Amino acid sequence: MVDVILGLQWGDEGKGKIVDFFAKDYDVVARFQGGPNAGHTLYVQDKKVVLHQIPSGVFHPGIINLIGNGVVLDPVTLKKECDTVASFGIDLKKNLFIAERTHLILPTHRALDKAAEISKGNQKIGSTLKGIGPTYMDKTGRNGLRVGDLLDKNFTTQYIKLRMKHQRLLDNYNFQEDITAWEEEFFEALEFLKQLNIVNGEYFINSQIKAGKRILAEGAQGSMLDIDFGTFPYVTSSNTISAGVCNGLGVAPQHIGEVIGVTKAYCTRVGGGPFPTELENETGEELRKTGNEFGATTGRPRRCGWIDLVALNFACMINGVTRIVMTKADVLDAFSELEICTAYQVDGKESREVPFQMDRRKPVPLYQKFAGWNSPTSQARTVDELPATMKTYVSFINKYLGVDIHYISNGPGRDQIIQVK
Ligand code: GDP
Ligand code: IMO
Ligand code: MG
């Protein structure tokens, strides 16, 4: 069986911490999409670690971690990350596997990402500039290079061919930056990558399923950044939703079990695009400060606002969410009043649906007010220690979504999580 943990908002919901927490119940943890645009924060031996490409189960010895075919992989970031992980005594030869169909992010993909963003001017996506979009474009355009191609003696010829194509595009953008240094570290990192366990991902994962192993698929980004269902064009370039597990790992739909959706107790977004409940005021500033809302990959300040049940309801629908984990509840500790968005006003009409072209329709959020708990909760370890006002907030969300919050996370630490159902 394959259970899934994924983000229900615009990313950074705390997936890394939650995957790390649940990993002990699984034999395999697999990433199925995205790439180094992700930044998943975990605390290991009280040290903060941010993982971009390696699945968040890697710190549990004995668990197999798979980078699936749906991921786009930057060998340079991977090498750095492997060094960090190895410094904790983890033997990656034993527990990290990479699917041979995984597409490679080339230095010119990063350059193209940058050139494309610059050319968009004030309509820029706010990409992490890790080369995600151009790499997926080469995948669907049937030009990309894959991890398994590395073992092919024609690899360099294929690389040069693609690089020349990219150069023509870069010339078109009038992109002048010298990327020689990027290429040097890329080729060095490829030698490192070749030493890792490169496998046929689909046979690998299906043999695990057949052997009755428990698998956890780890999503990156969030449902509202999904290429099909997110706030297009302000999205990432992969299917971040549960359906992405099937084509991102080669797993048939009947093998999917629980779909665990992670949401913050409020909402954030980093980068451009619509965000109906965004608070561009002191309250938003306080959420950012208290929640330490700065990007784990880029360090950019995250935009902050109240929880949006219209968007969450949509995310639960398209993912088939069976359980919810609510993170960062402790960040709301200091607020005496909270608001929950229960509907949008779109074109003058009240609606509970996410509209097409959210960027142009500009939905106005309609709120219901709730009393805050106004007391510290990060020390709580049992449901009985949680304030009644928090329970009211949670049960309202459960009722609205028709899916229950099973866990509340009340701090970044591994032990700061409470089972409530
Ligand atoms: P991800 O991309 O979904 O894995 O999330 P990020 O790691 O980008 O951002 C989540 C941030 O919130 C990280 O700094 C975590 O350490 C932190 N975090 C996770 N859960 C909690 C929580 O319950 N409370 C607090 N205060 N911080 C949390
Ligand atoms: P995790 O896994 C938050 C956002 C970028 C930008 C848009 C497109 O840590 O939750 P891209 O680099 O994919 O071309 O950027 O998507 N974005 C994320 N926002 N968390 C992420 O990952 C993100 N990955 C991409 O900020 O708006
Ligand atoms: Mg993140």
Side-chain angles (χ1 to χ4, degrees):
M1 214 29 126
V2 182
D3 293 339
V4 187
I5 291 186
L6 46 73
L8 297 179
Q9 299 171 307
W10 280 278
D12 301 329
E13 297 88 349
K15 300 174 290 294
K17 171 190 159 157
I18 302 307
V19 170
D20 176 50
F21 173 75
F22 282 108
K24 58 184 184 311
D25 302 330
Y26 292 88
D27 302 297
V28 180
V29 179
R31 273 278 303 270
F32 59 93
Q33 47 69 232
N37 48 349
H40 295 179
T41 314
L42 339 172
Y43 281 84
V44 192
Q45 297 158 13
D46 290 329
K47 281 197 203 111
K48 178 176 164 172
V49 183
V50 181
L51 294 174
H52 302 285
Q53 306 197 113
I54 297 178
S56 302
V58 74
F59 291 105
H60 296 262
I63 292 182
I64 287 173
N65 291 271
L66 174 70
I67 297 180
N69 60 278
V71 169
V72 288
L73 187 71
D74 185 336
V76 179
T77 327
L78 182 72
K79 183 170 181 287
K80 285 187 194 139
E81 216 167 307
C82 284
D83 290 345
T84 309
V85 171
S87 74
F88 284 85
I90 302 290
D91 182 358
L92 291 164
K93 258 308 216 194
K94 280 202 188 120
N95 74 352
L96 181 66
F97 294 79
I98 304 168
E100 56 196 355
R101 292 180 191 272
T102 307
H103 277 250
L104 287 169
I105 302 178
L106 310 187
T108 37
H109 284 133
R110 280 159 61 198
L112 282 166
D113 209 358
K114 198 168 172 186
E117 276 286 79
I118 293 168
S119 77
K120 286 196 160 110
N122 61 9
Q123 305 211 310
K124 69 173 189 195
I125 307 293
S127 163
T128 59
L129 305 179
K130 303 292 179 192
I132 308 298
T135 308
Y136 278 116
M137 279 164 74
D138 268 338
K139 177 178 178 174
T140 53
R142 298 162 293 181
N143 297 305
L145 293 173
R146 300 177 290 175
V147 170
D149 294 333
L150 272 178
L151 310 174
D152 199 301
K153 62 178 185 322
N154 292 328
F155 180 79
T156 314
T157 319
Q158 285 178 281
Y159 174 84
I160 292 168
K161 203 171 141 202
L162 190 53
R163 203 222 177 282
M164 277 162 67
K165 177 180 172 247
H166 290 167
Q167 192 57 54
R168 286 193 290 275
L169 294 169
L170 289 168
D171 291 346
N172 239 344
Y173 281 119
N174 199 19
F175 186 84
Q176 306 281 0
E177 244 173 88
D178 180 10
I179 60 162
T180 321
W182 295 6
E183 279 192 301
E184 275 167 19
E185 55 176 11
F186 175 75
F187 276 100
E188 205 183 299
L190 287 184
E191 290 311 308
F192 174 80
L193 175 54
K194 279 191 213 166
Q195 308 304 315
L196 299 176
N197 301 305
I198 299 173
V199 295
N200 178 308
E202 56 277 22
Y203 281 109
F204 184 85
I205 200 107
N206 281 289
S207 65
Q208 299 283 343
I209 293 173
K210 222 170 189 170
K213 304 282 185 196
R214 292 153 304 169
I215 295 155
L216 182 61
E218 172 181 6
Q221 290 79 55
S223 306
M224 298 307 286
L225 288 170
D226 180 89
I227 182 70
D228 280 280
F229 298 104
T231 47
F232 190 89
Y234 298 93
V235 292
T236 189
S237 300
S238 63
N239 282 114
T240 59
I241 61 169
S242 55
V245 174
C246 296
N247 55 13
L249 293 176
V251 160
Q254 66 266 32
H255 294 307
I256 306 291
E258 299 288 341
V259 179
I260 303 160
V262 186
T263 174
K264 281 179 186 165
Y266 50 98
C267 192
T268 66
R269 169 164 208 171
V270 60
F275 177 8
T277 62
E278 180 173 17
L279 296 167
E280 292 176 281
N281 57 17
E282 271 172 28
T283 312
E285 195 55 53
E286 199 177 337
L287 281 171
R288 180 160 39 250
K289 216 171 87 206
T290 320
N292 192 22
E293 294 296 356
F294 296 89
T297 298
T298 58
R300 291 177 292 176
R302 294 176 183 145
R303 301 154 64 193
C304 297
W306 297 123
I307 196 164
D308 179 346
L309 294 190
V310 178
L312 272 182
N313 197 38
F314 173 77
C316 287
M317 174 179 80
I318 57 177
N319 284 301
V321 171
T322 57
R323 290 169 186 200
I324 295 174
V325 176
M326 187 173 87
T327 57
K328 305 194 92 157
D330 54 301
V331 174
L332 298 184
D333 284 356
F335 291 80
S336 52
E337 192 172 66
L338 307 171
E339 296 189 38
I340 292 184
C341 168
T342 54
Y344 292 160
Q345 196 162 32
V346 187
D347 302 332
K349 287 198 200 87
E350 194 173 318
S351 163
R352 284 187 169 212
E353 291 186 3
V354 170
F356 175 62
Q357 292 182 333
M358 233 215 233
D359 55 328
R360 291 186 205 168
R361 308 282 285 284
K362 299 195 180 1
V364 179
L366 303 175
Y367 292 108
Q368 196 162 319
K369 285 192 197 314
F370 286 80
W373 35 98
N374 234 336
S375 58
T377 61
S378 59
Q379 302 297 323
R381 293 294 174 271
T382 63
V383 69
D384 298 336
E385 294 168 74
L386 295 175
T389 31
M390 189 193 279
K391 289 178 188 159
T392 308
Y393 187 81
V394 165
S395 49
F396 181 83
I397 296 171
N398 289 348
K399 210 160 162 201
Y400 186 104
L401 298 176
V403 189
D404 288 340
I405 293 171
H406 282 240
Y407 288 85
I408 295 177
S409 168
N410 58 338
R414 252 184 181 174
D415 60 336
Q416 289 176 297
I417 185 161
I418 298 167
Q419 185 167 7
V420 291
K421 201 126 229 158

